[in-house]
Amino acid sequence: MPSVALKLYSVFFKFLLKHRLQNLIQNAIDESSNPYGVTTRPEESVSASNPSFTDGVATKDIHIDPFTALSIRIFLPDSSLCPPEQPDLKPNLRSSGNDDPNSHNHRRSSYAPSNVGAPRNDPRRSSLQGLNLRSDNNVYRGYSPSPQNCRKLPIMLQFHGGGWVSGSNESVANDYFCRRIAKLCDVIVIAVGYRLAPENKYPAAFEDGLKVLNWLAKQANLSECSKSMGSGARGVGSEFTKAEVQRHIVDTFGASVVEPWLAAHGDPSRCVLLGVSSGANIVDYVARKAVEAGKRLDPVKVVAQVLMYPFFIGNVPTQSEIKLANSYFYDKAMCLLAWKLFLPKEEFSLDHPAANPLISDRGPPLKFMPPTLTVVAEHDWMRDRAIAYSETLRKVNVDAPVLEYKDAVHEFATLDMLLKTPQAQACAEDISIWVKKYISTRGHEFSY
């Protein structure tokens, strides 16, 4: 059974959540008056991005849509700086100060000089020369990749939870979770800051998820154009300068520039989707749209998805929805309020395609869905529907295992209070083992 401390925290959490939901209902705003939207709430504790390698991961924030609040946070692990031929060789980082990445006095990591601790023939010397941590008086003081000798990593799009109305890709808890996943899975994590309800109801959050996937495809194509134009410029002498090349790309594609971290280190052909709670519903939608798009998304290929305690519901209650309706943290009554804030009034139904994955005619056929790992908790009232969805996928030969954790509650691996528990760590490690089956370039040497 959950501990007494967790039970007390759950009572406090539900009290605050109910108060916030009621305030949102009373102060509901017509979304037409605020199409820009919000991606975080004032009461949310957020963590600042840090483009140097703090705790082994560098982060940066990008606002990718000028017409909405949609933004992303990129998490780049320092393993990306190792020579491609020796991915297991870790950079030699020096640090000082507090190791807590969320501390105001966080450590700022940098490479040791190439003549310190590395022999002349050490492969690490070449990777040291490729690191550029700007420390002058310019605004940007973070990592700038060198175009030579860059290691390519898979990309994971991560969608936070919060019942559609709260949560943030920049929250302290989400930042910690994404850092952990980036290091364990050895991937670049892109945490999506989608628009929240009720300011922006369905389908805003779902459209934001698909928009980020399309942005990723656009970035990959921009990067390839940049390389080809750059090499063409070198081949004809001084026909194009570097600035002129970038200007030509911007003129051709619109208000877009190449994102250097993704261009240097991202491999969009190995893309994984991961969603937490309500974010899992967005992931399932994005995966379906990726299947429908097919080669139109090239070179992006969604190779797997991870649904962590998805926010599924339906008109016909499952056994867990009846038995655990008053469960910890997110009980059924509170989740119904969240759904009412998220779905437009004229569309409200617990069998809405955004809510129930088991309804017919959702499209595309489930047999085309990517491999799907589902994580569920014993004391989560939404668990049975998530398990039923996995069973439906397995019936059409989709690899869809279920990880069920005993004595666990909804968001047990991502909630701020529970992030550092052994169970949360074990869950992240289990996810990494399964994900590596589909992102490894050396074949399926991992089994689950």
Side-chain angles (χ1 to χ4, degrees):
M1 289 293 292
S3 66
V4 174
L6 187 142
K7 292 178 180 178
L8 291 174
Y9 185 71
S10 174
V11 172
F12 177 69
F13 180 92
K14 289 202 281 188
F15 173 80
L16 288 180
L17 180 60
K18 184 177 181 180
H19 179 70
R20 291 171 185 170
L21 290 173
Q22 289 174 340
N23 282 342
L24 289 171
I25 291 173
Q26 292 171 2
N27 302 320
I29 302 172
D30 181 8
E31 63 178 316
S32 62
S33 65
N34 184 23
Y36 190 80
V38 297
T39 59
T40 188
R41 300 290 177 195
E43 64 271 10
E44 194 79 50
S45 297
V46 297
S47 176
S49 61
N50 184 357
S52 60
F53 288 92
T54 299
D55 193 32
V57 180
T59 60
K60 70 160 71 169
D61 296 330
I62 304 176
H63 180 210
I64 66 172
D65 183 5
F67 303 107
T68 70
L70 176 62
S71 64
I72 60 171
R73 172 166 290 185
I74 301 177
F75 295 79
L76 180 70
D78 59 10
S79 60
S80 62
L81 306 175
C82 300
E85 65 277 7
Q86 290 184 300
D88 296 329
L89 183 64
K90 285 293 183 182
N92 183 18
L93 294 171
R94 296 184 304 173
S95 64
S96 60
N98 193 344
D99 280 352
D100 184 358
N102 299 317
S103 167
H104 291 293
N105 296 317
H106 56 261
R107 71 180 186 180
R108 182 173 295 274
S109 302
S110 62
Y111 275 94
S114 58
N115 59 350
V116 177
R120 184 173 297 275
N121 59 351
D122 193 325
R124 187 159 54 223
R125 294 177 67 92
S126 60
S127 67
L128 298 177
Q129 295 167 0
L131 182 72
N132 180 12
L133 277 174
R134 299 182 187 172
S135 57
D136 51 22
N137 293 325
N138 294 331
V139 174
Y140 184 66
R141 293 174 177 268
Y143 166 64
S144 294
S146 169
Q148 287 82 27
N149 210 28
C150 288
R151 182 177 174 224
K152 296 288 188 178
L153 296 180
I155 297 173
M156 177 181 286
L157 298 188
Q158 187 264 357
F159 297 82
H160 65 81
W164 310 119
V165 299
S166 62
S168 170
N169 66 321
E170 301 174 4
S171 71
V172 172
N174 199 69
D175 187 88
Y176 186 96
F177 173 74
C178 289
R179 286 175 179 274
R180 170 181 279 172
I181 289 294
K183 288 186 285 187
L184 285 174
C185 295
D186 200 19
V187 297
I188 299 173
V189 175
I190 300 178
V192 180
Y194 56 85
R195 287 170 291 170
L196 302 177
E199 290 85 352
N200 294 95
K201 294 179 179 288
Y202 174 87
F206 284 56
E207 290 176 343
D208 287 350
L210 185 58
K211 192 175 293 184
V212 172
L213 192 66
N214 286 321
W215 176 86
L216 184 61
K218 187 175 182 179
Q219 280 294 317
N221 289 315
L222 282 170
S223 176
E224 287 304 313
C225 287
S226 177
K227 291 176 184 177
S228 60
M229 292 184 72
S231 61
R234 288 190 296 271
V236 295
S238 57
E239 183 179 346
F240 290 112
T241 65
K242 184 177 181 180
E244 286 171 338
V245 167
Q246 188 178 66
R247 195 157 51 240
H248 276 275
I249 295 172
V250 172
D251 290 342
T252 304
F253 286 86
S256 299
V257 293
V258 177
E259 204 303 299
W261 288 9
L262 295 180
H265 299 294
D267 180 1
S269 68
R270 294 180 289 159
C271 180
V272 178
L273 308 177
L274 183 148
V276 175
S277 189
S278 54
N281 297 43
I282 300 175
V283 159
D284 190 59
Y285 169 85
V286 173
R288 289 171 184 269
K289 290 300 181 182
V291 170
E292 291 176 353
K295 292 186 177 181
R296 295 196 303 274
L297 270 177
D298 282 352
V300 173
K301 290 181 175 61
V302 175
V303 298
Q305 64 171 344
V306 180
L307 310 179
M308 298 184 69
Y309 21 82
F311 209 62
F312 294 151
I313 197 171
N315 276 326
V316 179
T318 63
Q319 184 176 352
S320 65
E321 289 173 4
I322 297 171
K323 184 180 178 181
L324 301 171
N326 192 33
S327 57
Y328 304 96
F329 296 102
Y330 293 90
D331 61 37
K332 189 172 182 179
M334 229 105 58
C335 291
L336 285 173
L337 287 178
W339 277 110
K340 288 179 180 178
L341 285 166
F342 177 63
L343 294 176
K345 189 174 181 180
E346 63 275 9
E347 294 185 38
F348 182 79
S349 168
L350 297 184
D351 279 337
H352 191 283
N356 189 352
L358 301 176
I359 60 173
S360 58
D361 302 325
R362 285 187 77 200
L366 290 180
K367 65 180 180 180
F368 298 118
M369 290 293 284
T372 302
L373 174 66
T374 302
V375 175
V376 296
E378 181 184 9
H379 298 290
D380 182 4
W381 65 268
M382 293 174 268
R383 59 186 292 277
D384 281 359
R385 198 172 300 273
I387 293 172
Y389 182 45
S390 291
E391 291 173 350
T392 304
L393 289 172
R394 288 198 296 275
K395 287 178 182 178
V396 292
N397 297 320
V398 175
D399 181 22
V402 175
L403 293 178
E404 181 176 4
Y405 292 83
K406 299 297 182 183
D407 292 330
V409 299
H410 190 79
E411 290 224 43
F412 72 92
T414 46
L415 204 62
D416 51 1
M417 179 192 180
L418 304 173
L419 266 173
K420 298 184 180 181
T421 62
Q423 198 171 40
Q425 175 69 24
C427 178
E429 292 172 355
D430 291 341
I431 289 172
S432 71
I433 292 171
W434 184 83
V435 164
K436 285 177 180 178
K437 287 172 57 179
Y438 297 99
I439 62 175
S440 173
T441 57
R442 304 175 187 174
H444 290 192
E445 70 266 41
F446 296 93
S447 61
Y448 198 82

